[in-house]
Amino acid sequence: MLLSGLFTYAFGIAFYYDIHSFYYFIIIQIICGALQTTGWPAVVSSVGNWFGKGSRGLIFGIWNSHTNVGNILGAVIAGYFVEYNWGLSFIVPAIIVSAAGFILFLFFTPYPEEVGISSFDIDSNRRVRESFNNISENTGYTDNNESISSTCSSSSTSQSQSREQRQQHQRRKLKPMDEANDSIVMDEEEHPLLSANDSAMESTDKQAISFVTALKIPGVIEFSLCLFFAKLVSYTFLYWLPKYIGASTDSSSSDSAYLSTPFDLGGIVGAVVAGHLVDKTGASALICSVMLLCAIPSLFLYQLYGIASESANILLQILAGAFVNGPYALITTAVSAELGTKVTNSHALATVTAIIDGTGSIGMCCYRSTTSGSGVRDGMG
């Protein structure tokens, strides 16, 4: 984040030093892109280490809203400075991201073990809550001793299982590593975000798995392709929507930037709803498919009626943003974390996230070919 802020600042100072070299801007963008792509796999892996599988959908949905908030803040900052000093549109975000990077450097803790919390304790607490909820649903809340003893028995059983798993984990760390670092063994635990027929895999060491091994995890390729198209549409709106609004209405450049923010507001709603539904149903693939199918008519509605009025533009942007960015957020966070933990190696999570998000970034690059040369007078054609 510190280096990303530095090179974003270098982009902005071109305004003051009257730099017009095409190669200067190309090199700066390449370096910024390379630095910024390292962030997402790392943060998804870190957040995934802190929460159990049963609640990741909603937690990641809420947490992922920071990307939409960043998009909105970027649009507001760029819209404020663009008409008289575009250099500040880069310098101000550079200062913000550098300050945030420094704070994270001081206080960020990627693993709960670093502060004395075991990952087994996190899963154990989740199982205790689930057991209590199941008892409550089956028998209701009662004051009799039988209900209380059942709850206590369930809790003690979960704690006992946690201790056994912790002991097995310690024994596994003491065993000699006879296999290569990308060797995998089957794990019996089912994953709620994935099919129950998919067996989990466990790595025998704590080193990063190979790229090929990550691709072999069931679901990685399928969700990567899904994100390819979702990110293509999302970034088409992010980069092209202000231009479309300015060309199809009488709005100025700054007003067009402000009017493009409801799309990200819809993305926040879609991400939270999608994550909550996945936690309840465990059907991540089905939810992604349904939301992406609903995105098709929402995009056509925006094309037909988005320029009818300002209120219609805002409402239809929110609708389209929810259906497009909901699956996008779900795949890049909760689904990536779930796929990464199929190999019980903390480094596998970051590798899987990088593959999925990287495939989506290829789709983001393709948005230019869908918009170049297209007119924006009367519609989004």
Side-chain angles (χ1 to χ4, degrees):
M1 292 180 69
L2 293 172
L3 290 175
S4 178
L6 175 64
F7 284 96
T8 302
Y9 176 82
F11 207 101
I13 63 174
F15 174 83
Y16 298 97
Y17 288 94
D18 200 25
I19 299 175
H20 299 284
S21 172
F22 178 78
Y23 296 104
Y24 173 83
F25 293 108
I26 289 294
I27 293 173
I28 293 296
Q29 287 189 76
I30 292 174
I31 296 175
C32 278
L35 293 172
Q36 292 171 17
T37 53
T38 62
W40 191 251
V43 294
V44 171
S45 176
S46 300
V47 175
N49 293 331
W50 278 91
F51 298 100
K53 300 179 180 68
S55 59
R56 279 177 179 165
L58 180 60
I59 290 173
F60 270 123
I62 297 173
W63 172 79
N64 187 74
S65 64
H66 74 274
T67 60
N68 302 100
V69 173
N71 291 340
I72 294 171
L73 183 61
V76 171
I77 293 175
Y80 185 81
F81 295 113
V82 67
E83 293 187 344
Y84 71 93
N85 188 341
W86 61 262
L88 290 176
S89 298
F90 294 94
I91 293 175
V92 173
I95 295 173
I96 294 174
V97 73
S98 297
F102 181 72
I103 293 173
L104 289 176
F105 174 76
L106 295 177
F107 301 106
F108 184 62
T109 305
Y111 300 101
E113 289 83 0
E114 294 181 1
V115 291
I117 301 175
S118 173
S119 58
F120 290 103
D121 293 334
I122 295 176
D123 289 334
S124 175
N125 292 333
R126 174 182 61 83
R127 286 191 291 269
V128 170
R129 289 194 300 268
E130 290 176 351
S131 299
F132 181 78
N133 291 335
N134 291 334
I135 293 172
S136 300
E137 291 175 359
N138 295 331
T139 65
Y141 287 99
T142 60
D143 294 330
N144 56 42
N145 294 331
E146 181 180 356
S147 176
I148 296 174
S149 62
S150 298
T151 303
C152 294
S153 175
S154 175
S155 300
S156 61
T157 301
S158 298
Q159 295 292 345
S160 175
Q161 293 175 351
S162 176
R163 286 193 297 270
E164 292 177 1
Q165 289 181 345
R166 189 182 294 108
Q167 292 172 357
Q168 293 175 1
H169 178 68
Q170 295 296 333
R171 288 196 298 268
R172 187 162 56 247
K173 290 198 302 183
L174 296 175
K175 291 173 63 178
M177 299 177 185
D178 297 328
E179 299 181 359
N181 63 342
D182 59 350
S183 60
I184 52 180
V185 296
M186 305 306 294
D187 185 7
E188 296 178 354
E189 183 177 2
E190 294 182 354
H191 296 269
L193 291 179
L194 303 170
S195 171
N197 294 327
D198 291 336
S199 298
M201 296 177 287
E202 180 178 352
S203 177
T204 58
D205 55 38
K206 286 295 181 181
Q207 298 182 8
I209 63 172
S210 66
F211 180 83
V212 175
T213 303
L215 286 176
K216 292 179 180 179
I217 298 176
V220 170
I221 295 177
E222 292 85 347
F223 280 108
S224 296
L225 294 176
C226 185
L227 184 64
F228 174 92
F229 295 102
K231 203 166 186 178
L232 186 153
V233 177
S234 178
Y235 274 79
T236 297
F237 269 78
L238 177 64
Y239 291 123
W240 193 54
L241 188 56
K243 179 181 178 181
Y244 167 72
I245 293 175
S248 59
T249 65
D250 296 329
S251 302
S252 63
S253 297
S254 58
D255 291 339
S256 298
Y258 299 145
L259 286 174
S260 66
T261 57
F263 183 79
D264 287 295
L265 292 176
I268 296 174
V269 176
V272 174
V273 171
H276 178 70
L277 291 176
V278 166
D279 284 342
K280 292 296 183 181
T281 64
S284 58
L286 178 62
I287 291 173
C288 287
S289 299
V290 171
M291 294 188 75
L292 289 175
L293 287 175
C294 292
I296 298 173
S298 70
L299 295 176
F300 278 110
L301 286 174
Y302 183 74
Q303 177 188 6
L304 295 174
Y305 304 107
I307 60 176
S309 65
E310 185 174 305
S311 59
N313 194 316
I314 293 174
L315 290 175
L316 291 174
Q317 276 192 63
I318 293 175
L319 183 66
F323 288 131
V324 172
N325 284 340
Y328 171 19
L330 185 63
I331 294 171
T332 56
T333 55
V335 170
S336 295
E338 191 65 35
L339 291 171
T341 54
K342 292 193 75 177
V343 176
T344 54
N345 178 332
S346 60
H347 299 293
L349 202 161
T351 304
V352 170
T353 304
I355 292 173
I356 294 176
D357 191 57
T359 305
S361 297
I362 298 175
M364 176 192 70
C365 296
C366 294
Y367 92 93
R368 293 186 180 276
S369 63
T370 66
T371 58
S372 59
S374 59
V376 291
R377 294 185 298 274
D378 300 318
M380 295 187 69

